[in-house]
Amino acid sequence: LTLCLVTAFVMCLIWGVKLKSKRRWMVRLMQSIGLVAAVYLMLYTGLLFRDIGAGTITGSPLLPFLFLVSALSTGVALLLVPLVFGRIGVHFHRLYARLLRIDTIFIVLEAALLTTLFLLASFEPRQAEQVAILLQGDYANMFWIGVVFCGLSAPAILENLSGKIIGLQMRAIPVSVMVLVGGYCLRASIIGVGVWTT
């Protein structure tokens, strides 16, 4: 986390500075270090709870990858925030339109990993019971409303609406909020049912 913050801080410092070609290696170095640190950080939570929740749904080898894809999606949602509150979209309209399409890919992958996680859990009695709690028990509202609706289905629909129907900025507002809510609910519900239920 510290490494991510340091590389991000350095990149912010050199943003907009015209560097000589001989010094552009600094930017590439910071980008490379930041990318490796970010991927590890995104995987870390899933790896941690996989070890803690051995024998439960959180012990699945798919959990780190599910959290990785979810983190990428919520990362895109955070990148949409400047578009919502500023005029940056005027200068980076194509970039933001592309980000919405990329996030759709992340959402599809997230849904596929989540479905596969549940299917694999159905072969283990304890994990199957936890999935039932997640889908029909105490965590059902958080899962269906927070994860399925806010985190997956609604953003995917909004991201693929034509610009003639609803503008880019107006799509970015609900997408960024819902994806962030969905990312939180995904972690809270799966960790809750996997670690805190017996």
Side-chain angles (χ1 to χ4, degrees), residues 3-4 7-8 11 28-40 42:
L3 193 56
C4 283
T7 53
M11 291 298 293
R28 297 188 187 94
L29 179 63
M30 288 296 104
Q31 289 174 335
S32 300
I33 294 173
L35 177 62
V36 172
V39 171
Y40 180 79
M42 288 185 280

Side-chain angles (χ1 to χ4, degrees), residues 84-114:
V84 175
F85 295 104
R87 294 184 54 80
I88 192 171
V90 176
H91 306 288
F92 296 97
H93 186 275
R94 288 184 180 179
L95 173 63
Y96 277 105
R98 193 175 301 153
L99 282 173
L100 288 177
R101 291 193 294 271
I102 291 172
D103 189 47
T104 301
I105 297 172
F106 292 149
I107 288 174
V108 171
L109 287 173
E110 188 177 343
L113 285 168
L114 190 59

Side-chain angles (χ1 to χ4, degrees), residues 5 17 19 39 44 51 64 72 114-115 117 127 133-135 170 172 176 178 180 182-183:
L5 291 173
V17 177
L19 295 175
V39 171
Y44 173 76
D51 293 337
L72 290 169
L114 190 59
T115 303
L117 178 68
Q127 293 182 23
I133 295 173
L134 192 61
L135 299 179
M170 292 305 297
S176 58
M178 287 191 295
L180 290 171

